[in-house]
Amino acid sequence: MSTNQATANQVINRRFAGRNDRLADEHLFGDRLFGEKALGQTLSGDKAHARNVVILGRSRDETFNLLTTSLERNGCKLMHCIEFGELSASLLASASMVFVFVSSFPSAGLFARVGAMIAEAPALSIIPVVEYADQEKAAALLELGCVDYLLAPFSGAQLNALLQRQESALAAEESFVTRSRAGRRLLAMAQRVALASAPILITGETGTGKEMMARYIHRFSAAEDAPFIAVNCAAIPEQMLESLLFGHEKGAFTGATAAQPGKFELANGGTLLLDEIGELPLGLQAKLLRVLQEQKVERLGGHKEIPLNVRIIAATNRDLQVEVAEGRFRSDLMFRLDVLPLHISPLRERKDDVLPLANRLIRKHAPHEQRDDLLTQAACDALVAHNWPGNVRELENMLQRALVLRNGLFIQPQDLGLSAPAVDTFQENMPISGEVSGKAALRASGKWAEYQHVIDTIRRFGGHKTKAAESLGMTPRALRYRLNAMRQDGVQLTF
């Protein structure tokens, strides 16, 4: 790994917020650890040829030429734009990636424009191309929600690895749906930790999707036929859990009529998820620690050590540091598991993810439905307004129930068991003083009627601001300014 690449990784690792800022040294994330399939290979097939890529910024000699040549060699269709203003909504909708030459733009405008692009096209992969002096900008852009970065000068192998990461992320997307900024940052971090072989600890409240995140990491980094084995440490009695994890030989205990491999063996070459690891009995914690340290397992009643090549992912809704302090969890095991931490925020802190998750869950549980607008606008508003104490699991249960018990074709708030939230209407409480009359009152009434029309239009398009802007005859940027002005005037917006 070059010195420039190592320094960039150090800067970026420091800048990630929350518990995700405690990554190990940058050598864990070098291209050499991504996997042989990612390096030195060009992408082929329909996916590569269907990829539309936008390059944004002015030409930068060798770096620009290398980028365009390598992308074309990989079957990408390229579009070059010099300024952000050239990026139309239709162009962004058809593109899968945008490479942004950071040195082409001043910092203030760059961050605002990239943030707006992420908000308008949350499924788009925006990749800053940075030089050595711009590494702090790269870190800030990753925090905004960019999924990756490219440090110039770069090699063809590094670009191929980046393209492969994007391809893997697309294939893994079914496992973890997110459109919020916090969720995008989490996925970007998950992609980085997936490149290392060290244990991963996923924390979060019950129902946030810890197992789905583990599957995302597995699909992103493992071979297509690699096994994924999940064990719920809280659902299995202690006397059975040891045999389940480590396996047993014939006659190892009463009832062991045949040899049986354990979950560690079954996960060899793939991923083992130890869910609810905080519930693991103390007696088994020491045995698990030894397996993790030695990378070998010995069946109960056996005398042969079996070598392991398993990625370990642990998940818990408990604070392991508190569990250690109270004597319920071994500190040495915690440190062994907590090498690469990922924390999933509760759904109430990721409101932008509620509707994309709801739509995905409806397609999952009602694949026969031919409509994409089963949720009425009132139902969408109710879903976003709900606090979600049960997180994604509560959302899934609620939608399953609504699909069965709904009255009519569409899902209404009452079908969800929710009450419709207060409507963003303000005409009855317009801040117009009684002393205002004549033309001033008329102007004020017209302004607030205009605000109501903007809200109604955005609702009509299901919260899709780009489509709403086109219907209103303005640019998405102008609509954002209008919404900001509305908020400053005291309008409470729920989208």
Side-chain angles (χ1 to χ4, degrees), residues 248-266:
H248 62 262
E249 296 291 354
K250 180 179 179 181
F253 51 84
T254 303
T257 57
Q260 182 68 39
K263 297 298 186 181
F264 275 95
E265 288 182 67
L266 295 175

Side-chain angles (χ1 to χ4, degrees), residues 20 43 54 64 83 146 214 221 286 288 352 364 385 388 392 432 454 466 489:
N20 296 340
L43 303 179
V54 176
F64 182 86
E83 300 293 342
C146 292
S221 60
L288 174 60
D352 290 343
K364 172 185 174 183
W388 300 112
V392 182
I432 301 175
V454 170
T466 300
D489 282 341

Side-chain angles (χ1 to χ4, degrees), residues 90-365:
S90 59
L91 179 60
L92 291 178
S94 64
S96 60
M97 286 187 290
V98 177
F99 287 87
V100 181
F101 278 85
V102 169
S103 59
S104 299
F105 305 99
S107 298
L110 172 71
F111 297 145
R113 293 288 194 135
V114 170
M117 196 177 354
I118 291 172
E120 291 173 12
L124 189 64
S125 295
I126 301 173
I127 302 167
V129 181
V130 300
E131 298 174 359
Y132 183 79
D134 294 325
Q135 293 170 84
E136 288 287 345
K137 294 181 181 178
L141 288 169
L142 286 174
E143 291 183 3
L144 275 178
C146 292
V147 296
D148 213 327
Y149 77 103
L150 196 58
L151 181 64
F154 54 85
S155 65
Q158 288 172 320
L159 179 60
N160 287 339
L162 183 146
L163 293 176
Q164 183 63 56
R165 290 198 295 272
Q166 294 306 308
E167 204 70 42
S168 299
L170 183 63
E173 190 179 37
E174 291 285 333
S175 299
F176 195 88
V177 179
T178 185
R179 290 293 181 267
S180 66
R181 178 179 296 182
R184 285 173 62 89
R185 286 171 54 192
L186 176 65
L187 285 189
M189 181 58 69
Q191 292 173 19
R192 291 175 64 79
V193 302
L195 309 188
S197 58
I200 298 171
L201 179 64
I202 303 175
T203 58
E205 293 181 5
T206 298
T208 50
K210 295 185 288 296
E211 181 173 342
M212 300 305 290
M213 172 55 68
R215 291 184 181 276
Y216 178 90
I217 293 170
H218 171 75
R219 294 187 64 184
F220 181 83
S221 60
E224 188 173 347
D225 58 347
F228 178 90
I229 305 295
V231 179
N232 189 327
C233 299
I236 304 169
E238 180 177 356
Q239 58 271 24
M240 295 178 58
L241 187 56
E242 183 176 8
S243 173
L244 183 74
L245 287 175
F246 308 128
H248 62 262
E249 296 291 354
K250 180 179 179 181
F253 51 84
T254 303
T257 57
Q260 182 68 39
K263 297 298 186 181
F264 275 95
E265 288 182 67
L266 295 175
N268 235 341
T271 303
L272 176 62
L273 169 64
L274 299 174
D275 201 5
E276 303 297 348
I277 190 67
E279 308 282 348
L280 191 69
L282 276 169
L284 288 182
Q285 291 180 25
K287 297 181 180 180
L288 174 60
L289 178 62
R290 180 170 179 80
V291 171
L292 296 179
Q293 289 175 336
E294 302 296 331
Q295 286 296 296
K296 295 177 183 178
V297 66
E298 185 177 309
R299 294 181 183 178
L300 298 181
H303 305 285
K304 177 184 177 182
E305 290 187 327
I306 302 169
L308 297 174
N309 177 25
V310 180
R311 173 194 291 281
I312 301 297
I313 302 179
T316 181
N317 59 5
R318 295 189 176 189
D319 188 333
L320 290 189
Q321 293 183 347
V322 173
E323 297 298 302
V324 169
E326 296 183 358
R328 293 190 294 267
F329 204 84
R330 293 177 61 104
S331 60
D332 47 5
L333 179 57
M334 184 195 72
F335 293 130
R336 174 65 64 175
L337 293 171
D338 196 14
V339 177
L340 301 175
L342 289 174
H343 180 71
I344 304 179
S345 302
L347 191 56
R348 62 182 173 275
E349 297 177 10
R350 298 184 286 121
K351 289 299 183 74
D352 290 343
D353 289 343
V354 173
L355 295 183
L357 276 167
N359 290 327
R360 176 66 61 84
L361 291 169
I362 288 174
R363 290 195 296 271
K364 172 185 174 183
H365 293 291

Side-chain angles (χ1 to χ4, degrees), residues 377 453-464 468 471-472:
Q377 187 58 54
H453 177 62
V454 170
I455 288 176
D456 291 342
T457 303
I458 294 176
R459 282 182 171 160
R460 182 157 50 89
F461 287 98
H464 196 295
S471 177
L472 291 166

Side-chain angles (χ1 to χ4, degrees), residues 394-408:
E394 180 188 3
L395 173 62
E396 183 169 14
N397 293 343
M398 185 180 291
L399 290 169
Q400 283 184 275
R401 182 172 60 249
L403 285 168
V404 175
L405 302 179
R406 57 183 159 159
N407 294 313

